[in-house]
Amino acid sequence: MSLETLPESWVVWNDEPNGRCILAYRPDVFDTKQFPPSCLPTIYVTQGTPNRPAQERRATDSWYFEFFLEPDVSLPKTPRFPTREEALEAAVELAREFDRGEIAYRDAYQIPREEYLDKLDELTRSE
């Protein structure tokens, strides 16, 4: 299973059997004391498009994932996957890329939080 290869900096926050899975980045750092809770980077793997009501998400065979830096700041949408396992594998690969500093997350911000982004740069070794 792909969750077993998740980088140590990421944790499985929630994993519903055959359902939604939420991955969280460094909850030890983004712990509400140094940064607001909304600053916890998360990857949501869901059946159907994430912004649809739950009953509509279950009506489709497609799986998606979305990476949120904050509730209103996300990376570009991801492609559709035919299975949960494929979506999880792609999400774990994105988590690895983020962990290695290969994701240009600053580009997602119109009004950046410099202290927060500087901390992400430090943790992910981004420049």
Side-chain angles (χ1 to χ4, degrees):
M1 178 179 225
S2 58
L3 289 177
E4 295 167 357
T5 62
L6 193 64
E8 289 182 23
S9 58
W10 286 86
V11 298
V12 177
W13 199 258
N14 182 38
D15 187 20
E16 299 169 4
N18 300 314
R20 180 176 69 163
C21 181
I22 302 171
L23 309 176
Y25 180 72
R26 294 297 304 265
D28 61 316
V29 173
F30 301 101
D31 63 358
T32 74
K33 294 180 181 126
Q34 296 179 49
F35 298 95
S38 62
C39 288
L40 178 66
T42 53
I43 299 175
Y44 287 78
V45 176
T46 62
Q47 189 173 22
T49 53
N51 60 346
R52 304 297 303 164
Q55 64 273 17
E56 291 180 30
R57 286 197 306 262
R58 291 187 191 103
T60 179
D61 291 334
S62 299
W63 288 84
Y64 300 82
F65 69 84
E66 192 164 1
F67 188 133
F68 290 95
L69 293 156
E70 297 183 38
D72 294 328
V73 181
S74 63
L75 294 183
K77 305 295 184 231
T78 61
R80 175 173 53 189
F81 299 91
T83 67
R84 181 178 190 264
E85 290 72 29
E86 289 176 80
L88 282 172
E89 285 179 29
V92 168
E93 180 54 35
L94 181 65
R96 285 190 205 110
E97 291 171 7
F98 182 81
D99 195 52
R100 293 189 302 256
E102 298 172 0
I103 303 296
Y105 45 80
R106 284 180 177 265
D107 295 344
Y109 279 84
Q110 292 179 352
I111 302 171
R113 293 179 188 238
E114 290 304 325
E115 182 181 1
Y116 168 62
L117 294 173
D118 290 347
K119 187 64 173 179
L120 283 177
D121 290 346
E122 175 189 326
L123 292 169
T124 63
R125 300 171 296 284
S126 294
E127 303 207 18

